[in-house]
Amino acid sequence: MHEILVKAREEHYIPPEKRSNKYHGGMVEHKSWLGVLYTVILYAFMAIIILICIVPMWHVLTSSLSDGSILLFKKGIVWWPIQDSGAESMFNWGGYKLLFRNRGIWSGFLNTFIYVAGSTTLGFVLNVIGGYTISRKSMLSRPLALMLVLTLMFHGGLIPTYMVIKALGMVGTRWALIIPGCTSGIFMVIMANAFRNVPESTIEAAEIDGAGHFTIMFQVVLPQSLSIATVIILNTVILHWNSWYPASIYVPTKRNLWPIQLWIKEILAQNQPSSFLQAANPDYNKYLLQYCVILIASLPVLLLFPLFLKYIEKGVIIGGVKE
Amino acid sequence: MVQKPNTEFQAKQARLIHSIPKLSFGKRLKKDLKKNWVVYVIFLPVLLYVLLFNYAPLFGLVMAFQDFNVLKGVFGSSFNNFANFKTLFFRDNFGIVLRNTAGMALLNLTVGFIVPVIFALLLSTIRHKRYKRVIQISSYIPYFISTVVVVALWKEFLDEGGVIANFLSWFGFRNQNWLANNKVPVFWLINTAIDIWVGFGYGAIIYCAAIANVNPNLHEAAAIDGAGEWKRMWHVSIPSIIPLVVTMLTLRIGTVFLQGFDKVLLLYSPSIYSTADCLTTYIYRIAFAGSADYGVSTAAGLFQSAIATTLLIISNYLNRKITKSSLF
Amino acid sequence: MAKISFQDFSAYYKLKKKKYVLSLNKITLEIPSESFFVVVGPSGSGKTTLLKAILGGVELTDGLLIINGTSVENIKKKEANISYLSQEYSLYPHMTVYENVAFPLRRMRTDFQEIDLRVKTVLDYLKIDFLASRKPRQLSYGQMQRVAIARALVKNPRIMLFDEPFSNLEPTLKNELRLTLKNIHQEFKPTIIYATHDLTDAFILGEKIAVLNGGELEAIGTKEEIENSDKAFVRSFLSR
């Protein structure tokens, strides 16, 4: 046997000077000029993609610091804050000052905060309860699970839902924006799956020690499903932070209840260039207002999401891409 | 929990496997309630929520068959059977609305679907890890911007003199406000483009994960055979993720009708109703703007729901057929 | 005190929707209070089912199982003061060792200082006090089992059930823990029911031994009685 191996090695021996640079799937590969070309094009293309993704928000940032009267007529991307030739500094803070003084907008932020916090918390509790009940081995867990799943398939639609909420007296109040959309059957199903993966022995041990169901839910099962719970919470927070549509339906006239996104929509609608040109003594900083508020409203999510990237990506993979 | 019997034991007990006459349903229920009543009581808030906000509205669907009068309410309004549906279907613009909806959905399922996949594949050929990460994180940014802001931005860019309008003018298109252009695929393309811009990074996540999880031995074997990045992508990565792609596509068929409408609502304007109006915005307008015909609006909603549910069932069936697994 | 008696007790567990398998067949035995009772038998003979039955965890049963004068169906787990230890990982992975051991006491709403005292005492007794702030994933399997014993012990249970807890451990550790169990039994005097397929375990620990096979009780008695038994199965089992 040994001789065969030695012979084989001799036959296939390539002296070092003749060996090519090829390594198995390793870092150095034989580069053809075609491969290099491809790489260059690809990297350049990706750079364009990066720009396409980042530039719009950059544009918002720079616009918010520009001079409003010039900005009105500027077409195209603002690469750097544009100022009047006589301006003292690079940045015009007028828009932000106006933002700071605008009561309505701050109430918008407060409202969004309330809605996000309220909806997420309520939704989370319901998710845990729903998921727990379905994940138990009991007679009713299957029918109940079916009931939840059916909600994903059949919808009453816009009007019927509106009428139910109206009948509950919630139209025109904050509750319409906290309770109705706070959770969905799919989250409960996901939580139930996570709970089912918790080793039964830990639950049994708790039962033997006399733990009641609430204890088991929040102290045994949930802590072991923390990553999935985090994903659900993150998704809910982002969803509600960016939401405007329910508010436009349920509290259309009550500005003091508007979430921030609705305010943005309003300001955008008001800031048509035509209205500025017609006014006698326009405050051009008002035109900046939309950029300032967009920036401030988007900043929290944009700054925070990189921190939770791990969870977000994991969540997508676990849950499949929804929407 | 209880140890599974080994085969020797099983053989011996075979004759002892009982088909225990099950306790009657009522008795079993009673026993179960006695044991688990706490859990069911805890479930009540969830039950309440689901009944109120998911099932109660279903009763409102009866409005689709009524000559609904706000003052008379649901119980006071008279039934007009399918008159609402007749009104709906034979309205002038209903056919157009359907066409628009179908057009946008089709684009969503073709172009809109394939872009994240391609992006994920291209990304997988980038070897510089830092750069790859930067690209990925940048690609997520549009997803986290709110719809209102997204629409605002695109409105600005698509306007006459805006970036996109300028860009297109290099190709010979007249520099114009594209959101006022009423020719057929214009709005649909804009809508799909926005969808892609917003979702391609986030949508690529699952494909990136799948590509990364391909058995590295396959890649090594291909590399040994002399395949470079590009060839490896073609011959290893793509075939490996085809099952996933197919699954995602079939799932998407089921949900394509249910999303993205608030964007259209913000984007469109009366001048482009004839290409931009889709089923969901149509329902919205019938209900909240102008005629406030709740009956017809609900009928339209029911119609849309029926289509969506049918698609969901079809997609689930397809999915199961293809991958021998199901959504639920 | 904590006398357990099985009378013509049968237990079934669910195989499929309508099919049940007989797991224990008309068992009649008595477990005297405060005794160290060992149940031996090959895998699948129904030992685990026997223990689960005492916990009230078997759905379908026939016959009587009486603990301290009350039928097992009427006993609430919380008041029963039983503890159960098996081979499986049952520690709470997200809590430290200290919190794991304290958990039963918190369920019983003992006050904070007493919890502290008892947990520390028990950890000390089992010589694992240095592990108090570690999480289960940082422990070796042997250490985990000791923590599990601590958790079982801390609520001073009247009945302790052990389901082959040491079969995955190396012999030295096994010996040590066997000795610990014996000491626990002598000091705290609970009724211990110990299931195992290892005869050495049975003979070292058991005051009274029951031999199970295929859900049937083959023999029951003290160590000497079992050794001198003339029943066929017992002899074959002894010779393994």
Side-chain angles (χ1 to χ4, degrees):
Chain A
M1 181 63 179
H2 180 70
E3 300 93 50
I4 301 179
L5 287 173
V6 171
K7 191 157 175 237
R9 218 180 298 142
E10 279 172 26
E11 279 177 44
H12 291 272
Y13 182 69
I14 307 174
E17 54 273 301
K18 289 212 191 126
R19 286 184 204 153
S20 73
N21 292 330
K22 221 186 266 188
Y23 287 82
H24 306 309
M27 278 173 281
V28 178
E29 277 189 12
H30 189 55
K31 281 210 190 292
S32 67
W33 71 268
L34 196 65
V36 172
L37 183 66
Y38 166 75
T39 311
V40 166
I41 295 183
L42 182 67
Y43 279 51
F45 178 67
M46 286 303 175
I48 297 179
I49 301 264
I50 295 181
L51 285 179
I52 294 181
C53 293
I54 298 189
V55 162
M57 290 316 285
W58 174 256
H59 169 79
V60 168
L61 174 63
T62 53
S63 299
S64 70
L65 293 168
S66 307
D67 185 306
S69 55
I70 306 181
L71 194 62
L72 257 176
F73 302 103
K74 162 81 175 168
K75 308 266 187 206
I77 303 270
V78 176
W79 294 103
W80 194 256
I82 40 176
Q83 306 298 347
D84 214 352
S85 36
E88 316 98 45
S89 74
M90 266 202 297
F91 304 132
N92 174 14
W93 299 99
Y96 286 104
K97 286 195 193 134
L98 209 58
L99 176 70
F100 196 62
R101 275 186 257 129
N102 189 321
R103 263 316 146 62
I105 295 184
W106 286 111
S107 84
F109 276 113
L110 186 65
N111 284 325
T112 299
F113 193 73
I114 295 177
Y115 300 143
V116 167
S119 248
T120 310
T121 321
L122 182 62
F124 184 67
V125 171
L126 289 180
N127 285 334
V128 171
I129 292 179
Y132 181 73
T133 310
I134 297 180
S135 64
R136 293 298 93 214
K137 300 186 207 58
S138 62
M139 259 183 81
L140 290 184
S141 63
R142 275 274 209 87
L144 289 178
L146 188 64
M147 182 182 79
L148 287 182
V149 163
L150 283 180
T151 68
L152 301 174
M153 305 216 318
F154 303 108
H155 305 109
L158 182 57
I159 309 288
T161 316
Y162 182 86
M163 308 217 70
V164 169
I165 296 186
K166 184 158 173 214
L168 289 170
M170 291 204 267
V171 171
T173 69
R174 284 224 166 84
W175 299 111
L177 301 175
I178 295 184
I179 302 184
C182 69
T183 179
S184 158
I186 189 99
F187 290 136
M188 296 186 209
V189 169
I190 293 179
M191 283 247 83
N193 276 334
F195 288 170
R196 278 196 208 106
N197 280 335
V198 170
E200 189 75 25
S201 42
T202 48
I203 302 177
E204 279 174 9
E207 280 178 350
I208 294 175
D209 287 340
H213 286 287
F214 268 115
T215 315
I216 296 181
M217 256 197 276
F218 288 101
Q219 291 188 36
V220 177
V221 180
L222 184 61
Q224 294 184 60
S225 316
L226 219 42
S227 57
I228 295 188
T230 314
V231 165
I232 293 182
I233 292 182
L234 285 175
N235 267 326
T236 318
V237 165
I238 294 171
L239 197 71
H240 283 104
W241 182 269
N242 287 340
S243 128
W244 66 277
Y245 181 62
S248 74
I249 295 187
Y250 296 117
V251 293
T253 51
K254 296 205 178 164
R255 288 178 179 215
N256 58 326
L257 297 180
W258 278 10
I260 191 64
Q261 299 295 341
L262 214 52
W263 274 106
I264 296 179
K265 182 166 168 288
E266 171 86 355
I267 293 177
L268 286 167
Q270 282 175 349
N271 275 0
Q272 294 308 313
S274 45
S275 57
F276 280 100
L277 298 173
Q278 285 164 11
N281 202 10
D283 179 5
Y284 289 106
N285 282 328
K286 259 202 179 159
Y287 187 68
L288 295 182
L289 200 59
Q290 67 205 42
Y291 293 104
C292 300
V293 79
I294 287 178
L295 192 74
I296 304 284
S298 310
L299 218 49
V301 176
L302 287 179
L303 288 181
L304 288 180
F305 90 84
L307 299 175
F308 295 102
L309 214 38
K310 202 177 51 164
Y311 291 104
I312 294 174
E313 288 176 335
K314 194 171 180 185
V316 170
I317 297 169
I318 293 178
V321 178
K322 294 187 294 288
E323 349 220 9
Chain B
M1 183 171 143
V2 188
Q3 68 226 32
K4 277 234 163 2
N6 56 30
T7 41
E8 174 192 300
F9 175 60
Q10 222 167 7
K12 178 183 175 188
Q13 294 299 328
R15 54 189 166 84
L16 285 175
I17 291 184
H18 296 251
S19 210
I20 305 271
K22 261 186 152 179
L23 299 164
S24 72
F25 181 77
K27 278 226 177 108
R28 269 188 302 133
L29 191 60
K30 227 172 116 188
K31 206 169 160 212
D32 182 78
L33 284 176
K34 188 170 169 217
K35 184 174 167 217
N36 289 317
W37 67 274
V38 182
V39 181
Y40 297 141
V41 165
I42 293 180
F43 187 73
L44 283 179
V46 174
L47 188 68
L48 191 65
Y49 177 88
V50 169
L51 285 180
L52 269 182
F53 299 111
N54 286 311
Y55 285 99
L58 290 178
F59 288 106
L61 287 176
V62 75
M63 285 195 281
F65 303 97
Q66 287 183 328
D67 211 352
F68 187 74
N69 186 318
V70 185
L71 299 169
K72 291 188 194 158
V74 180
F75 297 104
S77 304
S78 56
F79 278 82
N80 61 11
N81 294 331
F82 287 94
N84 284 332
F85 288 91
K86 282 209 196 97
T87 323
L88 181 67
F89 294 149
F90 289 111
R91 277 199 193 199
D92 298 337
N93 28 17
F94 188 69
I96 296 182
V97 167
L98 275 187
R99 178 201 67 170
N100 293 342
T101 315
M104 290 195 259
L106 212 60
L107 275 180
N108 183 318
L109 282 176
T110 51
V111 181
F113 172 78
I114 204 71
V115 167
V117 181
I118 297 180
F119 179 66
L121 285 169
L122 289 178
L123 211 55
S124 72
T125 63
I126 295 194
R127 258 193 271 125
H128 197 263
K129 286 214 171 113
R130 275 267 168 79
Y131 192 45
K132 185 173 174 178
R133 203 60 180 141
V134 168
I135 299 173
Q136 259 189 322
I137 296 186
S138 313
S139 73
Y140 298 150
I141 290 180
Y143 181 78
F144 291 107
I145 305 178
S146 83
T147 314
V148 174
V149 174
V150 168
V151 168
L153 288 171
W154 279 73
K155 266 190 179 164
E156 194 177 321
F157 298 152
L158 286 166
D159 202 352
E160 186 173 346
V163 202
I164 299 182
N166 288 340
F167 179 68
L168 289 174
S169 68
W170 295 347
F171 292 88
F173 293 101
R174 185 171 56 88
N175 198 315
Q176 55 178 295
N177 180 356
W178 289 93
L179 280 173
N181 186 318
N182 209 9
K183 298 224 191 70
V184 162
V186 172
F187 182 80
W188 302 354
L189 291 171
I190 295 177
N191 185 41
T192 307
I194 298 182
D195 269 334
I196 293 177
W197 182 74
V198 167
F200 80 99
Y202 194 76
I205 293 181
I206 194 166
Y207 300 115
C208 284
I211 296 174
N213 277 336
V214 164
N215 190 347
N217 291 331
L218 290 175
H219 277 293
E220 272 199 36
I224 291 175
D225 287 341
E229 302 282 5
W230 176 259
K231 280 237 171 69
R232 289 218 305 269
M233 180 187 90
W234 268 107
H235 295 284
V236 179
S237 301
I238 292 186
S240 307
I241 63 171
I242 283 187
L244 178 66
V245 169
V246 170
T247 306
M248 298 301 296
L249 184 58
T250 53
L251 288 181
R252 191 142 164 163
I253 296 178
T255 58
V256 71
F257 261 63
L258 297 173
Q259 81 259 64
F261 117 91
D262 55 344
K263 172 163 48 44
V264 176
L265 195 63
L266 290 171
L267 273 175
Y268 78 175
S269 53
S271 58
I272 54 169
Y273 278 173
S274 61
T275 57
D277 210 4
C278 63
L279 207 47
T280 27
T281 55
Y282 190 59
I283 295 172
Y284 177 82
R285 275 218 321 284
I286 301 179
F288 287 125
S291 48
D293 195 339
Y294 285 7
V296 176
S297 174
T298 311
L302 183 55
F303 175 68
Q304 180 190 33
S305 223
I307 297 185
T309 309
T310 315
L311 281 178
L312 197 63
I313 296 178
I314 292 180
S315 89
N316 192 26
Y317 174 75
L318 276 178
N319 193 37
R320 207 181 322 172
K321 261 297 167 106
I322 295 179
T323 63
K324 307 253 177 358
S325 67
S326 80
L327 179 60
F328 300 126
Chain C
M1 272 260 55
K3 191 167 88 145
I4 305 177
S5 72
F6 290 81
Q7 293 171 17
D8 261 353
F9 186 78
S10 303
Y12 303 85
Y13 82 86
K14 210 179 205 180
L15 194 61
K16 281 199 299 200
K17 197 144 192 204
K18 272 203 169 147
K19 293 212 180 288
Y20 287 81
V21 175
L22 188 65
S23 190
L24 289 175
N25 195 11
K26 292 205 171 36
I27 308 276
T28 303
L29 54 76
E30 289 227 348
I31 302 176
S33 185
E34 295 180 19
S35 65
F36 201 124
F37 191 87
V38 176
V39 180
V40 288
S43 300
S45 49
K47 309 189 292 290
T48 307
T49 318
L50 195 73
L51 294 184
K52 289 279 168 136
I54 298 177
L55 281 176
V58 179
E59 266 188 50
L60 204 55
T61 65
D62 197 21
L64 289 175
L65 171 51
I66 300 183
I67 304 178
N68 264 355
T70 342
S71 173
V72 77
E73 291 151 5
N74 301 330
I75 299 183
K76 285 198 185 154
K77 274 197 178 140
K78 208 168 182 171
E79 301 154 9
N81 209 0
I82 306 182
S83 69
Y84 175 83
L85 203 75
S86 75
Q87 281 174 334
E88 300 162 350
Y89 300 109
S90 63
L91 298 183
Y92 307 116
H94 54 284
M95 298 189 200
T96 64
V97 163
Y98 182 95
E99 288 162 359
N100 259 289
V101 177
F103 188 80
L105 294 178
R106 284 175 48 211
R107 289 307 94 232
M108 299 184 343
R109 310 224 184 281
T110 332
D111 76 331
F112 175 67
Q113 273 145 334
E114 173 152 359
I115 293 183
D116 197 49
L117 183 65
R118 284 166 77 158
V119 171
K120 291 215 171 107
T121 318
V122 154
L123 288 179
D124 201 39
Y125 182 77
L126 286 166
K127 304 204 185 55
I128 45 172
D129 44 346
F130 64 100
L131 294 175
S133 46
R134 296 211 199 156
K135 291 250 174 86
R137 60 169 176 268
Q138 296 165 312
L139 304 175
S140 71
Y141 181 73
Q143 289 169 330
M144 273 201 281
Q145 290 299 69
R146 276 191 281 176
V147 174
I149 296 179
R151 190 176 67 178
L153 191 58
V154 80
K155 58 180 184 175
N156 205 1
R158 289 295 82 223
I159 303 176
M160 290 182 89
L161 306 174
F162 292 94
D163 193 353
E164 301 193 44
F166 306 141
S167 44
N168 281 353
L169 296 175
E170 48 180 12
T172 23
L173 200 48
K174 237 194 216 177
N175 262 326
E176 213 185 299
L177 288 175
R178 273 201 281 251
L179 210 56
T180 315
L181 271 196
K182 248 200 148 137
N183 288 337
I184 291 179
H185 185 239
Q186 268 160 9
E187 277 205 45
F188 299 95
K189 296 215 172 307
T191 310
I192 297 189
I193 305 170
Y194 186 96
T196 178
H197 55 66
D198 183 353
L199 271 172
T200 346
D201 267 355
F203 284 163
I204 294 181
L205 296 169
E207 291 174 350
K208 202 164 174 198
I209 304 174
V211 181
L212 276 187
N213 179 35
E216 313 238 351
L217 185 62
E218 295 280 347
I220 182 169
T222 62
K223 173 178 166 195
E224 293 75 26
E225 291 170 15
I226 298 288
E227 271 181 329
N228 300 327
S229 167
D230 50 1
K231 295 224 178 110
F233 177 79
V234 182
R235 294 245 61 94
S236 74
F237 192 69
L238 283 173
S239 61
R240 290 194 202 179

